[in-house]
Amino acid sequence: ETGVTQTPRHLVMGMTNKKSLKCEQHLGHNAMYWYKQSAKKPLELMFVYNFKEQTENNSVPSRFSPECPNSSHLFLHLHTLQPEDSALYLCASSQGLAGGGTQYFGPGTRLTVL
Amino acid sequence: QQPVQSPQAVILREGEDAVINCSSSKALYSVHWYRQKHGEAPVFLMILLKGGEQKGHDKISASFNEKKQQSSLYLTASQLSYSGTYFCGTERSGGGADGLTFGKGTHLIIQP
């Protein structure tokens, strides 16, 4: 099983839809992250979870709702998104406070909002 | 605060060298370097911690000047496989609790 997996890899949704992105890490890490990567913009940190507790919410609109039920799984619930939310959403994990900040990324979910 | 990367883009011939810089106006705990190829996830290259250090493997190395809050990534005798976008990510505190703040990236194109 590869280190960090994300599903689905591609998602097209309307502005009124509700969908969820899933991330799973098989590295035994304690911290997980959501990043957004838009065209011609740098990677933007959205949320940080350390030991299942949210430690960072980088001023993300409430139409994005994260959930971290355990150290291996991270979800991003989406509702009433806007076309400008179309982007590549990347999940990453790291040892967190226990062992340093090196982050390993999943392949991403390419989201298109119509 | 977002680190500033330079140059924005580099075009090289195979075998040439490149230097990519990353600077911050804030004190940093660490600098992380990643390479991302089109349509793929960023791949970790190396991490440099405060205290000033240099690291390297194969023909890719990096340095971190803590006084200047600047890191440089050195690519020597570049290969076609080095093409991609290079990002530096910075941490202001250790342990990953704050996530990384990334620069806008440097596009590197290696031509045969």
Side-chain angles (χ1 to χ4, degrees), chain A residues 33 35 37 42 45 55 96-97 103 106, chain B residues 2 34 36 41 95-98 100:
Chain A
Y33 313 81
Y35 288 89
Q37 188 174 35
L45 178 67
T55 57
L97 293 172
Q103 296 184 19
Chain B
Q2 183 182 98
Y34 289 83
Q36 185 178 29
D98 298 330
L100 294 174

Side-chain angles (χ1 to χ4, degrees), chain A residues 38-106:
Chain A
S38 306
K40 300 183 181 178
K41 280 189 174 183
L43 280 153
E44 299 172 77
L45 178 67
M46 298 175 74
F47 300 105
V48 179
Y49 277 84
N50 243 315
F51 292 96
K52 302 186 298 178
E53 298 296 321
Q54 187 175 313
T55 57
E56 180 92 11
N57 174 341
N58 210 20
S59 303
V60 180
S62 58
R63 57 185 183 270
F64 295 91
S65 174
E67 179 190 359
C68 188
N70 54 60
S71 297
S72 300
H73 294 86
L74 184 65
F75 295 89
L76 188 63
H77 304 300
L78 317 170
H79 65 97
T80 58
L81 294 191
Q82 305 296 313
E84 60 263 30
D85 296 323
S86 298
L88 180 67
Y89 288 85
L90 290 160
C91 171
S93 71
S94 75
Q95 291 275 26
L97 293 172
T102 302
Q103 296 184 19
Y104 296 90
F105 284 85

Side-chain angles (χ1 to χ4, degrees), chain B residues 17-30:
Chain B
D17 301 339
V19 180
I20 300 171
N21 298 306
C22 173
S23 62
S24 173
S25 58
K26 303 288 185 183
L28 300 176
Y29 176 83
S30 65

